[in-house]
């Protein structure tokens, strides 16, 4: 097949069909031909047999007639006469043969021979009729009794003249004479000839038929060869046009790779297969084009991503700069406020200074909130996984917001469903931040009614629980169109909201991010004028149990002068900051020198001996890093403690400072406590830690049973009154557990309950918290008359009462500690403790420690365990800046809440 000839698949199919159809017809024709040839042969065979038999029959019939006629002439037995005529008239063999021969369309020659035989036969019959007439007449048979043919035969005159005997003899003679034999021979000759001719003809016919059969067989063989040939051609066609091309395509595609840009299938085979290859090539080309386009797009995206990263970096740098720029003046403000506070001030001035500090701290808090949000956005905020008590967390939240709610006349309900696990592992501070934000908003935007906090269990799989928190209020509600937007940054319900209620619009956006970090979702359902329900979910691990309790203690103050006779160089280009740092360091006892630039610092380090250098990082001409590197190569200054001072609140500064040879890094605003902590690492002084820790131990033993300081504040700060109350408590109630046991033993539950209830009230007032809790439990058990519990609870109550009385007695007999009471204003509002502490922490005021210790009860009850212990830890290790950050979030909420209260 010509390979250039392109066939369609349909053409091949038609060709196959046509060839098979043609083969079918040929086969059918050849079978028919074969069949007819065989039949012709069989017919010829049969005709030959039949003709042969006819010849025999004719000869036999003639002999039979001769035989019967002769027998009659000899025996004169009528039977033979009858048989003879039966043959002539009934059997008619001779006539039948002739008519059959005629029927079989024998050639004329044969028919002529038969006619001749018949003619001679008729002549012989005439002789035989004469013989029979002679016999019959000799027998005297009347004519009418003769067979018709015999009766109609008339004897010649001579015969008639013969007597009967002569007639009989004559009858015999004519049947056996030579004439009869000659006549007989005349019949048999044409019959014999007929048989010979006929035989030859039939043999010829048979030979022809046999030849036809042979031809049919040959034809069939030729046909078979043609069919095999046609099938072979078809198979080859199929292979060439279909199978080979498909194989080739497969081979080409097997070694194909997307990287080969110029790949194409060589079209071959049927039109359809060629089309397939061409379509594939077209498709591949467009795919390649698409690939190139995508690659281009990818490159563009990569560039865009790099640009975005650069932009993000620029944003981070902007934030760093902004924080630097804002923190630097803030540093100045808080620093001077600190210094100013340590000078002699009138009441008014003290108040103004306090307000300046508070405003600066609030501004710092807002910056922190913005940085907080940026931190979440940049994915830099990670959650802690700490065990916590959910009930306690919510209790603490309740304490935090209850004041604000009470001031607005709002009721707050907390409902934790029974199946919610109490002890969880998660970031309790962030959880509180979210709930507190929702609660603060609820209080802020509600003027009357109830705020309902509900905690439910959504899923509980193994050691993981998904909780749903909802905060429902009866406040102003949110318009439908604003519902989605309020979770966006800096978005408030409407423009008038910020005017009326204040706020930054950042709270819910931060909540949404934190909830996202907790694998949860936050949403709101609200109707304007009806109220709002904020719901969020969060995932926690379930803790088996957690260690509870807060280690409370007081920390002594006074860091003043601990670095006496130590020399320090302050390198700072900003004169105000320099002045401030100088004063702080001098108040710590340092002998200070100041350098206003990197160059000046180099010169001064060369000329003087210092115990340490406080090095600002950002300075014109020569920055802190460079100055440090140069100091390090100076003789004798390899180990001079150099502490970096940076206003950049971004990562990487500490690392760079270390790389340039600095020993440590502090951030601005300068935190004296942190500064002391760092300097202590490098400058040998008296170990004040030990002293602090001893005092801490001492204080913590006496506390816990009765929170004296909080108790004093509770009654307006009058220590004497408080002591009087304690005295009354000691004299009236210390022996009450015996009385209660007595009442219970005689079944007087009513009286027992009344007495326990009274003690519970007093314990609350004097801040004997263990006693108050034990009373509450005992009271419940008495009401329920739970016998088993009662035994235990009375013992617990007994111990709490005794311990409370014991420490109260010690307290009553201890003279007033002026150092502690001095700092505490009797008019101080409860939230002022938080502001005061934040104020001290942000300023890095060492007073923060003693203030925290003396107000421990307030913080313990308004912060959760973790916050409290974190704060305590951080304050104890002078990490006041971080402690300030922790406290800031809580304060922000409370401040907003109070702001809301004031707006109403
Ligand atoms: P803001 O500091 O302004 O309160 P938030 O992100 O916490 O910022 O809240 C955004 C806005 O959502 C609010 O200004 C107020 O319009 C709306 N909003 C939040 N909580 C409530 C609530 N409980 N009832 C009515 N409006 C609310």
């Amino acid at each position: 097949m010509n390979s250039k000839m392109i066939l369609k698949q349909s053409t091949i199919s038609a060709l196959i069909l046509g060839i098979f159809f043609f083969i079918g017809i040929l086969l059918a024709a050849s079978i028919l031909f074969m069949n007819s040839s065989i039949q012709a042969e069989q017919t010829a065979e049969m005709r030959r047999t039949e003709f042969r038999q006819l010849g025999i029959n004719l000869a036999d019939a003639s002999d039979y007639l001769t035989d019967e006629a002769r027998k009659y002439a000899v025996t004169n037995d009528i039977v033979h006469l009858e048989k003879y005529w039966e043959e002539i008239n009934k059997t008619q063999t001779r006539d039948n043969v002739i008519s059959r021969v005629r029927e079989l369309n024998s050639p004329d020659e044969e028919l002529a021979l038969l006619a001749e035989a018949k003619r001679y036969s008729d002549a012989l019959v005439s002789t035989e009729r004469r013989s029979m007439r002679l016999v019959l007449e000799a027998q005297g048979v009347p004519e009418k009794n003769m067979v018709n043919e015999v009766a109609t035969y008339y004897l010649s005159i001579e015969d008639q003249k013969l007597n009967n005997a002569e007639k009989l003899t004559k009858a015999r003679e004519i049947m056996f004479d030579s004439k009869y034999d000659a006549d007989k021979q005349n019949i048999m000759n044409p019959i014999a000839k007929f048989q010979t001719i006929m035989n030859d003809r039939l043999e010829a016919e048979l030979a022809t038929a046999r030849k036809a059969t042979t031809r049919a067989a040959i034809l069939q063989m030729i046909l078979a060869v043609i069919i095999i040939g046609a099938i072979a051609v078809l198979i080859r066609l199929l292979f060439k046009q279909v199978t080979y091309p498909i194989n080739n395509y497969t081979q080409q595609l097997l070694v194909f790779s997307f990287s080969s840009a110029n790949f194409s299938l060589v079209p071959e085979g049927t039109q359809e297969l060629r089309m397939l290859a061409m379509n594939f090539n077209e498709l591949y080309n467009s795919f390649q084009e698409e690939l190139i386009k995508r690659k281009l797009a990818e490159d563009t995206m990569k560039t865009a991503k790099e640009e975005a990263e650069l932009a993000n970096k620029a944003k981070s740098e902007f934030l760093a700069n902004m924080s630097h720029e804002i923190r630097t003046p803030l540093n100045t403000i808080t620093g001077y406020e600190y210094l100013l506070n340590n000078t002699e001030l009138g009441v008014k001035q003290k108040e103004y200074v306090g307000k300046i500090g508070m405003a600066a701290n609030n501004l710092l808090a807002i910056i922190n909130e913005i940085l907080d949000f940026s931190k979440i956005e940049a994915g830099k905020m990670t959650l802690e996984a700490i065990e916590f008590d959910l009930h306690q967390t919510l209790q603490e939240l309740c304490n935090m917001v209850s004041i604000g709610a009470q001031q607005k006349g709002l009721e707050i309900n907390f409902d934790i469903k029974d199946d919610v696990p109490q002890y969880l592992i998660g970031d309790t501070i962030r959880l509180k931040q979210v709930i507190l934000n929702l609660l603060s908003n609820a209080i802020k935007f509600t003027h009357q009614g109830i705020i309902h906090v509900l905690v439910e269990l959504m899923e509980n799989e193994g050691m993981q629980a998904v909780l749903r928190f909802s905060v429902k209020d009866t406040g102003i509600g949110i318009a439908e169109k604003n519902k989605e937007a309020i979770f966006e940054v800096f978005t408030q319900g409407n423009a008038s909201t910020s005017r009326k209620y204040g706020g930054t619009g950042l709270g819910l956006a931060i909540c949404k991010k934190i909830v996202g970090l907790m694998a949860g979702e936050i949403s709101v359902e609200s109707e304007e004028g009806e109220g709002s329900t904020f719901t969020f979910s969060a995932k926690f691990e379930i803790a088996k149990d957690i260690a509870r309790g807060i280690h409370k203690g007081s920390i002594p103050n006074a860091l003043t002068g601990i670095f006496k006779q130590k020399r320090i160089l302050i390198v700072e280009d900003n004169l105000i900051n320099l002045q401030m740092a100088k004063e702080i360091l001098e108040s710590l006892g340092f002998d200070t020198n100041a350098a206003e630039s990197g160059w000046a610092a180099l010169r001064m380090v060369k000329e003087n001996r210092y115990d340490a250098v406080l090095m600002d990082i950002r300075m014109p001409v020569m920055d802190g890093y460079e100055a440090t590197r140069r100091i390090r190569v100076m003789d004798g200054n390899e180990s001079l403690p150099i502490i970096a001072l940076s206003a950049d609140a971004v990562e990487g500064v500490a690392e760079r400072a270390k790389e340039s040879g600095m020993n440590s890094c502090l951030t601005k605003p300068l935190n004296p406590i942190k500064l002391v902590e760092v300097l202590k690492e490098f400058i040998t002084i008296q170990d004040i830690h030990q002293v602090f820790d001893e005092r801490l131990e001492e204080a913590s033993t006496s506390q816990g049973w009765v929170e004296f300081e909080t108790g004093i504040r509770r009654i307006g700060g009058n220590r004497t009154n408080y002591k009087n109350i304690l005295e009354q408590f000691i004299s009236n109630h210390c022996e009450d557990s015996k009385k209660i046991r007595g009442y219970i033993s005689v079944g007087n539950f009513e009286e027992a309950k009344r007495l326990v209830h009274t003690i519970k009230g007093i314990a609350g007032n004097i801040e004997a918290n263990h006693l108050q809790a034990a009373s509450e439990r005992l009271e419940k058990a008495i009401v329920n008359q739970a016998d088993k519990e009662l035994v235990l609870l009375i013992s617990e109550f007994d111990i709490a009462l005794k311990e409370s009385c014991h420490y109260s007695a010690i307290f009553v007999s201890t003279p007033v500690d002026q150092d502690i009471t001095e700092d505490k204003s009797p008019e101080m509002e409860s939230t002022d403790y938080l502001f005061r502490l934040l104020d001290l922490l942000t300023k890095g005021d060492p007073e923060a420690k003693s203030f925290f210790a003396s107000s421990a009860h307030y913080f313990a009850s308004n912060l959760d365990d973790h916050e409290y212990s974190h704060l305590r830890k951080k304050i104890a290790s002078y990490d006041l800046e971080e402690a300030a950050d922790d406290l800031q979030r809580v304060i922000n909420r409370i401040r907003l809440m109070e702001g809301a209260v004031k707006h109403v």
Side-chain angles (χ1 to χ4, degrees):
M1 185 74 47
N2 185 354
S3 64
K4 288 207 174 128
M5 198 166 93
I6 299 166
L7 288 177
K8 276 191 184 178
Q9 208 111 306
S10 55
T11 314
I12 294 181
S13 305
L15 213 64
I16 293 171
L17 258 177
I19 288 177
F20 276 107
F21 182 68
F22 177 65
I23 288 171
I25 287 181
L26 279 183
L27 257 177
S30 83
I31 288 166
L32 282 176
F33 180 51
M34 186 73 168
N35 205 24
S36 74
S37 304
I38 290 167
Q39 267 185 3
E41 193 182 323
Q42 280 172 351
T43 313
E45 189 79 52
M46 271 162 58
R47 271 164 70 89
R48 192 178 67 159
T49 315
E50 197 178 357
F51 272 105
R52 209 174 257 170
Q53 194 56 49
L54 285 173
I56 292 165
N57 286 354
L58 199 60
D60 284 356
S62 177
D63 286 346
Y64 179 75
L65 289 174
T66 303
D67 199 39
E68 288 303 321
R70 280 182 171 168
K71 278 180 184 164
Y72 185 67
V74 174
T75 63
N76 299 327
D77 188 347
I78 192 77
V79 173
H80 297 297
L81 182 121
E82 282 167 358
K83 276 188 183 171
Y84 178 91
W85 287 109
E86 194 183 321
E87 168 61 31
I88 296 276
N89 294 328
K90 282 191 188 154
T91 312
Q92 294 182 323
T93 305
R94 202 183 47 162
D95 296 330
N96 285 343
V97 166
I98 291 167
S99 70
R100 182 74 188 133
V101 166
R102 262 202 201 101
E103 266 171 34
L104 291 172
N105 291 331
S106 292
D108 291 344
E109 190 189 0
E110 285 172 28
L111 289 173
L113 284 169
L114 281 181
E116 191 185 333
K118 191 172 184 282
R119 229 175 19 254
Y120 286 117
S121 175
D122 287 347
L124 207 59
V125 168
S126 181
T127 310
E128 282 154 1
R129 278 165 77 193
R130 184 180 161 206
S131 164
M132 286 173 193
R133 180 82 189 198
L134 283 168
V135 173
L136 286 171
E137 279 193 15
Q139 286 177 340
V141 177
E143 199 166 80
K144 65 171 177 23
N145 290 343
M146 290 179 198
V147 182
N148 191 34
E149 282 81 0
V150 180
T152 54
Y153 188 86
Y154 299 108
L155 291 172
S156 62
I157 295 167
E158 295 99 73
D159 285 346
Q160 282 179 8
K161 285 175 186 165
L162 297 175
N163 62 27
N164 287 344
E166 285 169 343
K167 278 182 181 169
L168 286 173
T169 306
K170 189 73 178 176
R172 267 195 307 269
E173 276 173 7
I174 60 171
M175 282 306 290
F176 290 95
D177 62 4
S178 57
K179 184 181 171 292
Y180 189 89
D181 284 344
D183 285 346
K184 180 83 182 169
Q185 198 55 50
N186 283 341
I187 296 170
M188 292 318 277
N189 280 346
I191 288 175
K193 202 168 175 191
F194 163 77
Q195 275 181 326
T196 310
I197 294 172
M198 181 199 66
N199 247 347
D200 289 349
R201 181 176 60 79
L202 291 173
E203 278 302 332
E205 264 181 26
L206 194 62
T208 315
R210 276 183 181 150
K211 254 187 208 160
T213 310
T214 313
R215 268 203 304 277
I218 292 168
L219 196 72
Q220 274 196 337
M221 275 176 67
I222 293 169
L223 209 61
V225 171
I226 291 174
I227 290 170
I228 290 168
I231 289 173
V233 167
L234 274 182
I235 289 173
R236 187 167 154 65
L237 192 71
L238 270 177
F239 264 84
K240 188 133 184 131
Q241 293 291 317
V242 181
T243 315
Y244 286 145
I246 290 177
N247 273 354
N248 287 347
Y249 289 169
T250 316
Q251 290 302 325
Q252 288 175 56
L253 288 173
L254 272 180
V255 292
F256 158 78
S257 116
F258 280 107
S259 54
S260 50
N262 294 325
F263 176 82
S264 70
L265 284 179
V266 182
E268 56 181 321
T270 58
Q271 203 175 36
E272 287 84 350
L273 286 174
R274 281 161 195 273
M275 289 262 286
L276 183 80
M278 288 188 295
N279 284 343
F280 173 85
N281 291 343
E282 225 167 84
L283 205 73
Y284 185 65
N285 284 343
S286 41
F287 172 75
Q288 280 291 341
E289 278 168 22
E290 189 60 29
L291 220 64
I292 291 166
K293 272 191 216 157
R294 277 195 184 197
K295 184 116 192 41
L296 278 174
E298 244 170 49
D299 289 347
T300 320
M301 264 167 69
K302 213 169 150 195
T303 322
K305 196 179 158 223
E306 279 165 10
E307 278 169 8
E309 274 168 7
L310 276 178
N312 205 25
K313 213 172 151 209
K315 185 179 132 192
S316 302
E317 264 167 26
F318 168 74
L319 280 175
N321 285 338
M322 187 196 80
S323 96
H324 176 88
E325 295 309 327
I326 299 174
R327 275 163 182 259
T328 305
L330 267 180
N331 177 28
T332 312
I333 297 168
T334 52
Y336 273 101
E337 190 246 348
Y338 166 75
L339 294 171
L340 207 58
N341 238 338
N342 286 345
T343 60
E344 284 290 314
L345 293 172
V347 179
K348 273 251 180 253
Q349 284 94 328
K350 215 169 174 76
E351 188 191 330
Y352 294 160
V353 170
K355 285 196 170 150
I356 290 170
M358 199 180 288
N361 288 326
N362 288 345
L363 187 53
L364 201 63
I366 291 170
I367 293 168
N368 284 343
E369 202 168 50
I370 293 168
L371 284 174
D372 215 11
F373 186 78
S374 319
K375 221 169 161 187
I376 302 175
E377 274 231 301
K380 284 183 185 153
M381 181 179 278
T382 47
L383 294 186
E384 286 193 52
I386 314 163
E387 290 183 340
F388 68 97
D389 178 344
L390 182 68
H391 291 204
Q392 197 178 336
T393 301
L394 292 171
Q395 180 60 51
E396 286 159 4
L397 278 165
C398 179
N399 292 343
M400 285 177 185
V401 295
S402 58
I403 300 159
Q406 269 167 25
Q407 280 171 334
K408 285 190 78 177
L410 301 172
E411 193 184 316
I412 302 186
N413 287 337
F414 280 80
D415 181 5
I416 309 173
K417 293 286 166 211
D418 290 344
D419 55 351
V420 174
Q422 184 175 355
Y423 300 113
L424 301 164
I425 299 172
D427 196 326
T428 173
I429 292 178
R430 299 291 171 201
L431 174 67
K432 277 173 79 175
Q433 188 177 347
V434 175
I435 304 177
L436 204 54
N437 189 80
L438 299 182
L439 270 172
S440 315
N441 280 347
I443 293 169
K444 183 158 83 170
F445 295 109
T446 304
H447 305 307
Q448 60 178 33
I450 301 170
I451 292 160
H452 190 74
V453 181
L454 176 68
V455 189
E456 297 159 290
L457 179 68
M458 276 172 81
E459 280 172 36
N460 187 355
E461 274 179 25
M463 290 307 284
Q464 292 215 316
V466 179
L467 304 188
R468 180 167 44 218
F469 299 83
S470 28
V471 179
K472 185 175 178 185
D473 64 49
T474 50
I476 60 168
I478 302 160
E480 189 62 39
K481 60 178 171 23
N482 297 329
K483 276 187 195 165
E484 276 303 306
I486 55 166
F487 294 104
E488 303 301 324
V489 197
F490 302 117
T491 310
Q492 295 187 317
N494 58 54
S496 63
T497 307
S498 61
R499 281 196 302 276
K500 192 172 172 191
Y501 297 98
T504 57
L506 257 179
L508 287 176
I510 292 177
C511 285
K512 192 178 172 185
K513 297 275 179 194
I514 294 175
V515 169
L517 291 174
M518 291 178 172
E521 282 175 3
I522 186 165
S523 62
V524 63
E525 275 177 26
S526 180
E527 228 169 275
E528 253 183 313
E530 298 290 318
S532 316
T533 305
F534 281 83
T535 308
F536 72 93
S537 55
K539 199 175 196 170
F540 298 96
E541 267 183 52
I542 300 170
K544 282 192 189 123
D545 205 326
I546 55 173
R548 302 172 72 194
I550 304 162
H551 305 288
K552 300 175 174 99
S554 67
I555 298 167
N557 53 12
L559 290 167
T560 322
I562 62 166
F563 289 106
K564 269 205 167 79
Q565 287 157 16
K566 303 285 173 190
R567 225 169 165 209
I568 194 163
L569 173 67
I570 314 157
V571 190
E572 170 66 83
D573 65 321
N574 182 310
L575 288 179
I576 300 173
N577 283 351
L578 179 70
Q579 180 64 20
M580 196 196 80
K582 208 164 166 335
E583 293 210 24
I584 291 172
L585 287 163
E586 280 171 2
S587 74
L588 291 169
F590 275 109
D591 180 6
T592 60
N593 275 180
E596 290 165 19
S597 70
W599 288 112
L602 292 181
R603 188 172 38 79
M604 293 185 76
V605 168
K606 206 172 179 182
E607 289 170 2
N608 305 291
R609 194 205 60 79
Y610 294 105
D611 293 293
V613 176
L614 202 58
M615 177 79 76
D616 185 25
I617 284 184
R618 284 202 194 195
M619 287 182 293
V621 192
M622 184 189 288
D623 65 13
Y625 302 124
E626 185 55 30
T628 306
R629 271 191 286 272
R630 294 191 184 210
I631 291 173
R632 283 285 175 245
V633 294
M634 289 176 171
D635 274 352
N637 288 321
E638 298 83 359
S639 56
L640 170 66
I642 305 176
I643 290 121
L645 199 55
S646 161
D648 296 334
V650 286
E651 287 168 30
V653 172
E655 284 73 24
R656 279 193 71 191
K658 274 229 158 73
E659 271 165 29
S660 64
M662 298 192 202
N663 300 71
S664 192
C665 182
L666 288 173
T667 49
K668 294 179 191 173
L670 189 59
N671 174 337
I673 303 297
K674 187 111 183 169
L675 177 68
V676 168
E677 188 66 7
V678 171
L679 289 171
K680 274 202 306 116
E681 274 182 45
F682 307 103
I683 303 170
T684 324
I685 53 159
Q686 188 209 347
D687 189 356
I688 56 165
H689 253 158
Q690 206 183 334
V691 181
F692 289 167
D693 288 346
E694 278 164 15
R695 290 187 193 173
L696 175 74
E697 262 315 298
E698 198 182 275
S700 63
T701 50
S702 62
Q703 285 193 4
W705 292 105
V706 186
E707 301 286 352
F708 300 114
E709 295 305 328
T710 320
I712 292 165
R713 279 193 292 275
R714 178 185 271 279
I715 60 158
N718 191 322
R719 185 175 281 261
T720 315
N721 282 350
Y722 181 68
K723 280 190 173 181
N724 289 337
I725 296 170
L726 284 187
E727 273 168 354
Q728 277 181 22
F729 164 65
I730 297 162
S731 57
N732 294 338
H733 296 287
C734 277
E735 299 302 315
D736 275 358
S737 50
K738 272 187 208 154
K739 280 188 198 167
I740 293 163
R741 273 187 216 273
Y743 288 138
I744 291 172
S745 63
V746 295
N748 190 349
F749 291 105
E750 204 40 56
E751 208 44 44
K753 193 196 129 195
R754 194 196 53 75
L755 192 48
V756 174
H757 189 80
T758 309
I759 293 172
K760 186 177 86 178
I762 297 168
N765 286 333
I766 61 168
E767 289 293 325
N769 297 311
H770 291 316
L771 179 60
Q772 190 189 7
S775 310
E776 200 172 323
R777 284 192 281 273
L778 181 58
E779 193 182 358
K780 264 190 202 152
I782 293 171
V783 172
N784 298 334
Q785 300 188 5
D787 293 349
K788 271 190 198 162
E789 274 180 72
L790 271 177
V791 182
L792 256 177
L793 292 173
I794 290 179
S795 302
E796 188 201 20
F797 173 84
D798 193 14
I799 293 167
L801 185 61
K802 277 189 179 136
E803 291 295 333
S804 305
C805 285
H806 170 75
Y807 286 109
S808 298
I810 295 173
F811 185 81
V812 169
S813 59
T814 310
V816 173
D817 180 354
Q818 285 307 324
D819 281 343
I820 297 172
T821 49
E822 213 175 47
D823 274 350
K824 289 166 208 70
S825 146
E827 292 86 33
M828 219 166 170
E829 281 182 29
S830 54
T831 48
D832 286 349
Y833 288 104
L834 290 168
F835 290 120
R836 175 80 183 124
L837 180 63
L838 180 74
D839 190 23
L840 294 169
L841 289 174
T842 326
K843 287 188 293 187
D845 190 334
E847 199 58 46
K849 283 192 178 182
S850 52
F851 177 73
F852 183 70
S854 62
S855 316
H857 175 73
Y858 172 78
F859 294 113
S861 57
N862 284 282
L863 312 184
D864 75 12
D865 275 4
H866 296 290
E867 273 172 344
Y868 182 86
S869 61
H870 269 162
L871 265 182
R872 191 188 147 271
K873 241 193 269 166
K874 283 173 184 167
I875 292 171
S877 63
Y878 299 103
D879 200 353
L880 299 194
E881 202 177 5
E882 282 186 28
D885 283 349
D886 280 359
L887 194 57
Q888 184 69 65
R889 275 176 213 97
V890 183
I891 288 190
N892 276 351
R893 299 292 151 228
I894 293 170
R895 186 167 53 81
L896 282 173
M897 235 162 51
E898 288 188 346
V901 174
K902 278 172 203 148
H903 275 95
V904 175

